[in-house]
Amino acid sequence: MEKRKNQNPIKKILSIRGMGQVITVTFGLIILCIVFGIINPTFFSSKNVGNLLRQIAPILMIGIGQSYVLITGNIDLSIGSVVGMSCMISATLMTKGINPWAAVAITFVCCILVGVTNGQLVAKCKLPPFIATLGTMTIARGIAQIVNNNYNTDSIGDAAQMFRDFFYYGKTLSIYNTIWIAAVIWIVFNFILSKTRTGRHIYAIGSNIEASRLSGVNIITTTTKAYVVSSICACIVGLITCATSGMGTMDAGNSYEMYAVAASVIGGVSTLGGQGILLGTVIGASIWGVLQNGLQFAGAPVAIRNIVIGIIVVISVLLDVVVRTGTHRKKRAKTDSSAAVKA
């Protein structure tokens, strides 16, 4: 048995749930990079690659948060507004003289409260996730607007330079800190999702919520944890946005919920729940970043970029639905035939 296991490492990898989709989209990513490299050779310049990775990092982080929620069979529409709320709360506190790291801590608490609220509304109050997070999306955006009296903030100042270097401008081992932050976030949450009981419960809820409940899974707690992860990721992206511009902007995070869904779904996370891995989210976020960057190099207007990404998201979801529905029908037909034989 041990020899067989050692002889089939490829089969082991392919047997991982969602790995087939990851391999497919990885080939797509490679092809995109080659095409854009041919169109404009500066696409592969060290400067552009560094900037590209820094563009991908925030999308990867919000994609990780959305992936957690999608795997439970839910969705988080508030993620973009939480980014804006995080940006505005942290910047406003810093412009009022609050220590930058104290401002970061307060911002985290506020964003986590949104995640807890989402989880309770969806799992405990039984609200449809679309409606629940649509409501908190509006509330979070309202908080972002009202926190500084419906104005963008002034510059957070030189006192916050360390904050800005940590989240965006600084480098460690010649790599931008934003990229390191995204890598750490991925490692931590990938470990939780793939190696812990919480991760198994998240997959179980997305696969069959009733069976999970009967198996003793705490649906409310697990769903809330997924939404809290989403809010934490959105909070960090909001802090990065604040560090990037050096001020708070009320429209920060606009359309980020779409980017988060795009990174997740393109990477193989099922909108029907119970399927997907965070490695796929890395590839999905990379495809989004490469498309944005490459189409920009090709001279395509913003509208065309958005249309292309929108089409890819729709096709990805459609393929997921077709594949999952076909698999379900095959299983059902097999079960019915087995029952008929026994009868």
Side-chain angles (χ1 to χ4, degrees), residues 94 100-101 104 156 160-167 239 242-243:
M94 282 184 262
W101 303 113
V104 168
I156 56 179
Q161 190 58 47
M162 188 179 292
F163 161 82
R164 298 188 71 185
D165 288 340
F166 178 83
F167 281 103
L239 295 172
C242 177

Side-chain angles (χ1 to χ4, degrees), residues 245-265:
S245 61
M247 61 182 291
T249 52
M250 293 183 292
D251 62 349
N254 273 347
S255 299
Y256 271 37
E257 50 279 337
M258 190 273 281
Y259 300 153
V261 171
S264 303
V265 172

Side-chain angles (χ1 to χ4, degrees), residues 9-334:
I10 296 176
K11 286 186 178 180
K12 281 185 183 180
I13 295 172
L14 292 175
S15 67
I16 297 172
R17 182 167 40 187
M19 184 58 73
Q21 174 78 1
V22 172
I23 293 172
T24 301
V25 295
T26 300
F27 278 115
L29 175 62
I30 293 170
I31 291 170
L32 280 176
C33 290
I34 292 172
V35 169
F36 288 131
I38 292 171
I39 293 173
N40 193 329
T42 57
F43 178 82
F44 287 115
S45 67
S46 58
K47 183 178 180 180
N48 185 59
V49 170
N51 288 330
L52 176 60
L53 291 175
R54 217 165 27 160
Q55 290 173 8
I56 291 171
I59 304 305
L60 170 59
M61 284 184 268
I62 58 172
I64 290 169
Q66 191 70 268
S67 295
Y68 261 69
V69 177
L70 288 175
I71 290 171
T72 64
N74 298 303
I75 193 168
D76 187 1
L77 298 180
S78 69
I79 200 164
S81 294
V82 174
V83 170
M85 190 180 84
S86 169
C87 179
M88 281 300 295
I89 289 176
S90 58
T92 301
L93 290 172
M94 282 184 262
T95 56
K96 302 298 182 185
I98 302 295
N99 179 278
W101 303 113
V104 168
I106 294 169
T107 303
F108 262 106
V109 172
C110 294
C111 292
I112 288 172
L113 285 174
V114 176
V116 172
T117 301
N118 283 333
Q120 294 296 305
L121 288 174
V122 171
K124 190 172 184 179
C125 300
K126 309 295 184 184
L127 284 181
F130 184 89
I131 300 300
T133 59
L134 184 65
T136 52
M137 175 185 79
T138 308
I139 293 168
R141 184 62 64 184
I143 293 172
Q145 292 165 343
I146 202 172
V147 71
N148 197 46
N149 297 318
N150 285 306
Y151 289 101
N152 294 334
T153 71
D154 296 327
S155 171
I156 56 179
D158 295 335
Q161 190 58 47
M162 188 179 292
F163 161 82
R164 298 188 71 185
D165 288 340
F166 178 83
F167 281 103
Y168 191 74
Y169 288 101
K171 288 185 177 182
T172 302
L173 301 178
S174 300
I175 298 174
Y176 285 110
N177 288 343
T178 308
I179 300 169
W180 285 114
I181 293 170
V184 170
I185 292 295
W186 184 86
I187 291 169
V188 170
F189 288 130
N190 184 63
F191 176 82
I192 292 172
L193 190 62
S194 61
K195 302 294 183 181
T196 68
R197 180 183 297 177
T198 296
R200 291 193 294 273
H201 288 178
I202 286 172
Y203 279 109
I205 289 174
S207 297
N208 192 321
I209 191 168
E210 289 305 320
S212 301
R213 184 180 285 108
L214 293 173
S215 300
V217 175
N218 190 319
I219 305 299
I220 296 173
T221 300
T222 304
T223 303
T224 301
K225 285 178 180 178
Y227 275 108
V228 167
V229 168
S230 180
S231 291
I232 288 173
C233 292
C235 178
I236 295 172
V237 173
L239 295 172
I240 290 171
T241 304
C242 177
T244 304
S245 61
M247 61 182 291
T249 52
M250 293 183 292
D251 62 349
N254 273 347
S255 299
Y256 271 37
E257 50 279 337
M258 190 273 281
Y259 300 153
V261 171
S264 303
V265 172
I266 293 171
V269 177
S270 175
T271 55
L272 303 178
Q275 184 173 307
I277 55 178
L278 294 189
L279 179 59
T281 307
V282 175
I283 306 302
S286 299
I287 287 176
W288 179 92
V290 167
L291 277 171
Q292 289 280 14
N293 188 270
L295 289 172
Q296 184 178 2
F297 267 98
V302 176
I304 298 299
R305 292 180 238 163
N306 290 335
I307 290 171
V308 170
I309 292 173
I311 291 172
I312 290 174
V313 171
V314 171
I315 291 174
S316 299
V317 174
L318 182 61
L319 289 174
D320 174 53
V321 171
V322 170
V323 171
R324 290 287 289 269
T325 303
T327 303
H328 176 71
R329 284 176 180 171
K330 286 180 181 178
K331 287 182 179 178
R332 187 172 179 179
K334 190 175 181 179

